[in-house]
């Protein structure tokens, strides 16, 4: 401690009259003493360093402050007042390192800074190894797009129910945020359903391609539940005659894509759906409710599982529209593109879920 003691008599004059470079040199020299034996310093000695540095470092040159902020940010016993002062600097190059890493900053200090400072400070804070719910509440409340995306992608962040709800609401307009939330391990089944319900199909497909297999299954189930929720209630058609026809074809060995194509082309809905039910193993009542929804996506899924050709699938889509409606060529082309991109494994998972449904 000899060097530090020799500096103390002139410290006041240096702080008041010294130029920034001189302050930086003295701060660097004192800091070097701290770093030499930081792990073994007693609390009272750390307080001494804190009292010395708090008057020097904030007035040093920017380059010196940035260097010291980076080095102190990695220490578990860094001088608290100094770290707190550095974290509150407007210059993000100084505040950033301690906001990202310093274990000395507690939740109370972080919440205060998050409420007072700008987006650069919030963004740095969102990269901390762990974030409690009291901090993420402020980040979600005040943070811009980049802050919220970064926080959502932080595996060490914890979110309150209210913040999760707000994240999902914002994700409806932000595909990147949707992907970040969808990959979180703490995402509940209900939150996943809410997330997917407001998401474009292209983002849903992208999410399914980047998550782990368990989450893929959860996405499949959530999408099926969303699809079910859109289906109209009430009684369905009488399929008894169609079922007899399909049973006869099956017994004669003639139930296949050719028969399905013929039913669809002739707009024989009951026979076509009964054929799809027999060929896919999905209960007829479930299949009827799915296909009479406001989207023909279930037809694409079934077509991929049954490996039917495009002409057959096209006939089924036209049957879905009905004889009095004609889809635009662009719509059919989009359907063909979606059908081509649909992975057989994904379609099989969806159909397996339908097979296990007793009713809709």
């Amino acid at each position: 401690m000899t060097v530090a003691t020799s500096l103390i008599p002139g410290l006041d004059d240096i702080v008041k009259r010294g130029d920034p470079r001189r302050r930086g040199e003295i701060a660097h020299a004192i800091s070097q003493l701290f770093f030499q034996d930081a792990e073994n310093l007693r609390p009272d000695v750390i307080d001494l360093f804190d009292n010395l540095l708090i008057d020097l470092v904030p007035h040093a040159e920017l380059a010196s402050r940035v260097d010291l902020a980076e080095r102190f940010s990695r220490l578990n016993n860094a001088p608290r007042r100094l770290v707190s002062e550095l974290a509150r600097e407007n210059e993000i190059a100084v505040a950033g390192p301690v906001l990202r890493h310093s274990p000395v900053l507690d939740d109370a200090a972080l919440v205060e800074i998050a409420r007072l400072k700008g987006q650069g400070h919030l963004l740095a804070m969102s990269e901390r190894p762990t974030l409690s719910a009291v901090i993420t509440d402020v980040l979600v409340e005040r943070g811009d797009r980049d802050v919220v995306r970064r926080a959502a992608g932080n595996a060490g962040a914890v979110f309150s129910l209210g913040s999760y709800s707000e994240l999902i609401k914002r994700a409806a307009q932000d595909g990147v945020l949707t992907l970040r939330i969808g990959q979180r391990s703490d995402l509940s089944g209900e939150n996943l359903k809410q997330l997917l319900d407001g998401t474009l199909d292209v983002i849903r497909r992208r999410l399914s391609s980047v998550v782990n297999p368990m989450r893929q299954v959860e996405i499949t189930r959530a999408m099926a539940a969303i699809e079910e929720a859109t289906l109209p209630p009430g009684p369905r058609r009488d399929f008894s005659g169609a079922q007899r026809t399909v049973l006869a074809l099956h017994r004669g060995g003639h139930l296949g894509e050719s028969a399905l194509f013929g039913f669809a082309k002739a707009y024989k809905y009951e026979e076509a759906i009964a054929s799809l039910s027999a060929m896919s193993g999905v209960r007829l009542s479930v299949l009827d409710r799915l296909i009479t929804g406001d989207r023909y996506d279930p037809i694409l899924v079934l077509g991929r599982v049954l490996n039917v050709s495009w002409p057959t699938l096209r006939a089924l889509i036209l049957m879905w529209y009905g004889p009095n409606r004609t889809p635009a060529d662009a719509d059919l082309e989009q359907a063909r593109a979606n059908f081509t991109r649909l992975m057989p494994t994904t379609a099989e998972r969806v159909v397996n879920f339908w097979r296990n449904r007793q009713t809709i």
Side-chain angles (χ1 to χ4, degrees):
M1 297 302 297
T2 306
V3 176
T5 304
S6 69
L7 290 172
I8 293 174
L11 183 60
D12 186 61
D13 186 63
I14 292 171
V15 171
K16 291 179 179 178
R17 300 179 181 83
D19 63 37
R21 178 169 296 183
R22 179 62 175 154
R23 293 178 184 133
E25 290 172 352
I26 300 300
H28 181 76
I30 296 176
S31 297
Q32 283 302 111
L33 283 174
F34 186 94
F35 296 138
Q36 282 177 12
D37 198 29
E39 294 182 358
N40 299 316
L41 294 177
R42 301 191 312 270
D44 60 321
V45 177
I46 294 174
D47 289 341
L48 172 61
F49 275 104
D50 208 356
N51 290 330
L52 291 172
L53 293 171
I54 194 66
D55 289 326
L56 286 169
V57 175
H59 305 286
E61 288 183 313
L62 176 61
S64 179
R65 303 199 316 274
V66 170
D67 176 65
L68 291 175
E70 180 62 43
R71 297 185 71 179
F72 278 118
S73 73
R74 306 290 181 170
L75 299 178
N76 292 324
N77 62 343
R80 290 183 176 275
R81 289 175 60 211
L82 175 62
V83 168
S84 181
E85 184 75 18
L86 294 172
R88 287 169 169 80
E89 278 218 27
N90 290 330
E91 182 60 62
I92 192 60
V94 177
V98 290
L99 289 173
R100 291 188 190 93
H101 307 295
S102 178
V104 171
L105 292 171
D106 58 20
D107 281 3
L110 290 167
V111 168
E112 179 189 351
I113 295 169
R115 291 201 176 280
L116 295 176
K117 294 297 184 177
Q119 298 301 315
H121 290 67
L122 298 180
L123 186 62
M125 197 179 299
S126 70
E127 298 176 4
R128 292 180 68 83
T130 59
L131 290 168
S132 70
V134 295
I135 299 173
T136 57
D137 278 350
V138 185
L139 295 181
V140 172
E141 176 189 341
R142 296 197 62 237
D144 62 12
R145 182 191 65 182
D146 292 335
V147 170
V148 172
R149 284 177 174 178
R150 192 71 58 83
N154 186 336
V158 176
F159 295 93
S160 65
L161 293 177
S163 288
Y164 238 132
S165 178
E166 181 62 26
L167 282 176
I168 291 171
K169 187 184 303 181
R170 293 177 68 164
Q173 305 297 324
D174 187 342
V176 173
L177 181 57
T178 298
L179 295 176
R180 299 278 172 85
I181 298 172
Q183 295 178 77
R184 291 191 60 82
S185 61
D186 60 350
L187 183 67
S188 69
E190 184 58 32
N191 280 337
L192 176 62
K193 182 179 174 182
Q194 293 172 3
L195 179 69
L196 295 171
D197 201 15
T199 301
L200 296 175
D201 285 345
V202 64
I203 302 299
R204 293 170 177 170
R205 289 194 297 271
R206 173 60 180 156
L207 177 60
S208 186
S209 70
V210 299
V211 297
N212 60 46
M214 182 64 69
R215 181 53 51 84
Q216 289 178 351
V217 173
E218 293 172 356
I219 290 173
T220 298
R221 290 175 177 170
M223 288 306 305
I226 291 170
E227 187 71 37
E228 290 175 18
T230 67
L231 299 176
R236 294 294 149 201
R237 305 170 185 246
D238 180 7
F239 285 92
S240 55
Q243 286 179 299
R244 287 192 293 270
T245 299
V246 169
L247 180 59
L249 287 172
H250 174 67
R251 287 173 176 170
H254 302 299
L255 180 60
E257 182 175 349
S258 177
L260 179 62
F261 175 75
F263 291 141
K265 192 171 180 61
Y267 293 94
K268 292 184 176 181
Y269 178 87
E270 288 83 358
E271 285 79 0
I273 301 307
S275 298
L276 284 172
S277 174
M279 294 166 68
S280 67
V282 178
R283 187 179 292 270
L284 183 57
S285 60
V286 172
L287 206 54
D288 180 35
R289 293 290 182 93
L290 287 167
I291 293 180
T292 53
D294 58 1
R295 299 176 59 168
Y296 55 71
D297 289 6
I299 293 175
L300 303 185
V301 174
L302 288 164
R304 174 56 68 209
V305 167
L306 298 175
N307 197 30
V308 303
S309 63
W310 169 246
T312 299
L313 192 74
R314 182 178 182 276
L316 287 166
I317 293 173
L318 292 176
M319 181 194 71
W320 180 86
Y321 274 98
N324 299 320
R325 288 194 302 162
T326 303
D329 290 342
D331 292 337
L332 287 175
E333 189 56 38
Q334 183 62 54
R336 182 171 187 169
N338 291 340
F339 178 63
T340 302
R341 287 195 297 264
L342 183 59
M343 297 294 294
T345 53
T346 301
E348 186 65 37
R349 282 196 295 269
V350 175
V351 172
N352 278 334
F353 178 74
W354 291 341
R355 287 171 181 146
N356 291 326
R357 299 293 293 179
Q358 295 298 311
T359 184
I360 290 183

